[in-house]
Amino acid sequence: MSFAVTVEKPSTAVYVIAPAGELDAYRAPDVRTEVVRVIEAGAAVVVCDLTAVTFLDSSGLGVLIGALKRLRERGGELYVVPGKAGRRILELTALDRVVKLYESRDAALAAAAGRR
């Protein structure tokens, strides 16, 4: 299966990163690169939309944890739209208690808009 990462900037300090396909040890560096890039560009909120991710392993979780740490160091936040594959692993690892989960991209963007 192919893999892609899209990045959108719906507002000034909000970015959406949406990987599609298997987010594993081979693809995690691609997502990490985009996360670092948008944080360095001034992201206050990063919405990670995992709804098109078909598989998520510990490398993908590491990207989320790294993003959360980098953002919080700068006063920012990570919002995650887990999708099917993401929700189960986030719950099994208890990361659902650490990151803010949203049912949809629209819900996460609405929360980001109200963050001010």
Side-chain angles (χ1 to χ4, degrees):
M1 174 173 206
S2 64
F3 183 83
V5 181
T6 59
V7 178
E8 300 170 28
K9 186 178 179 185
S11 65
T12 305
V14 177
Y15 287 79
V16 176
I17 296 177
E22 294 184 355
L23 181 48
D24 56 16
Y26 298 105
R27 301 303 185 181
D30 299 335
V31 179
R32 183 177 293 110
T33 297
E34 292 302 325
V35 166
V36 170
R37 185 181 66 77
V38 301
I39 293 171
E40 294 298 321
V45 174
V46 173
V47 175
C48 190
D49 184 349
L50 302 177
T51 55
V53 170
T54 56
F55 174 79
L56 179 66
D57 73 1
S58 61
S59 300
L61 293 176
V63 171
L64 295 177
I65 293 166
L68 180 65
K69 181 180 175 191
R70 286 176 191 263
L71 284 160
R72 287 196 174 162
E73 286 172 352
R74 298 168 182 243
E77 285 293 335
L78 174 68
Y79 297 167
V80 177
V81 183
K84 258 185 177 173
R87 180 167 300 280
R88 180 167 158 78
I89 192 75
L90 289 168
E91 289 172 353
L92 285 172
T93 59
L95 283 174
D96 62 330
R97 297 179 190 159
V98 179
V99 297
K100 295 179 181 181
L101 301 183
Y102 293 88
E103 292 299 317
S104 69
R105 182 185 295 203
D106 288 341
L109 290 173
R115 184 175 180 270
R116 298 181 184 121

